[in-house]
Amino acid sequence: MMADSSFDVVSKYDMQEVDNAVNQTAKEINQRYDFKGVDASVKLKGETIVMKANSEERCLAVYDVLQTKLVRRGVSLKSLDVGEGEPQQSGKEYRLVGALKEGISQENAKKITKLIRDEGPKSVKTQIQGDEVRVTSKSRDDLQATIALLKGGDFDFAVSFQNYR
């Protein structure tokens, strides 16, 4: 009798990679000519990334550089939830705040299990465990087909896989 194989569907990011991307962004905006004299900055404060500049356009340009660095470091942009920009009281500074989000909500976990149930291999079983979804099957080929299905899925959150055994 062969034991079941399994993997976990999670929504996580590597904090070290996020930190590296923020540091690279800060370095680039300090060196680039188009950011001279606009007081542009980017900082990581706990689970949020704060981008500042003296105009909305420059702040959005900082955000664009940050997105490029995150993608290069393998961090999904769906892990970053950037709200609306806000001018400060003085009117001389514009700020964007991006919150890093991790974990799969119950509603999103149900979306994943429904997609696997409807379109995935029939031998695959799913189980919601807190903020992750455990997927099990006797066939590793079915598990790999399920991973391919989930990678092709259009979710509004980052999807990654761990504990494949």
Side-chain angles (χ1 to χ4, degrees), residues 7-139:
F7 68 89
D8 295 331
V9 181
V10 295
S11 180
K12 294 187 177 177
Y13 56 87
D14 185 354
M15 193 61 180
Q16 185 62 50
E17 294 298 334
V18 172
D19 186 42
N20 290 342
V22 169
N23 289 337
Q24 285 180 343
T25 302
K27 194 175 199 179
E28 183 168 327
I29 63 177
N30 285 332
Q31 292 176 346
R32 277 182 36 181
Y33 178 77
D34 56 335
F35 286 111
K36 295 287 184 217
V38 296
D39 298 326
S41 68
V42 60
K43 287 190 175 68
L44 180 64
K45 294 181 179 179
E47 297 290 312
T48 60
I49 299 173
V50 180
M51 296 157 275
K52 297 178 185 175
N54 65 359
S55 71
E56 181 178 2
E57 293 79 27
R58 289 292 92 204
C59 203
L60 291 173
V62 171
Y63 179 49
D64 186 48
V65 173
L66 176 66
Q67 287 178 320
T68 304
K69 300 299 180 189
L70 286 170
V71 168
R72 281 194 188 147
R73 305 223 39 76
V75 178
S76 173
L77 295 179
K78 293 178 181 178
S79 297
L80 183 64
D81 185 22
V82 177
E84 292 295 313
E86 56 214 39
Q88 297 303 301
Q89 280 84 8
S90 65
K92 295 184 190 228
E93 187 178 87
Y94 194 82
R95 184 163 76 173
L96 269 175
V97 178
L100 293 165
K101 54 185 181 177
E102 191 171 68
I104 300 175
S105 68
Q106 285 295 108
E107 179 183 312
N108 289 333
K110 289 178 183 176
K111 286 181 189 175
I112 290 173
T113 57
K114 181 175 178 2
L115 177 70
I116 293 171
R117 203 172 41 246
D118 294 346
E119 299 179 26
K122 297 302 172 203
S123 69
V124 174
K125 305 275 185 273
T126 59
Q127 182 180 17
I128 299 172
Q129 296 179 334
D131 64 349
E132 55 188 46
V133 178
R134 166 83 33 102
V135 181
T136 58
S137 176
K138 292 202 180 294
S139 167

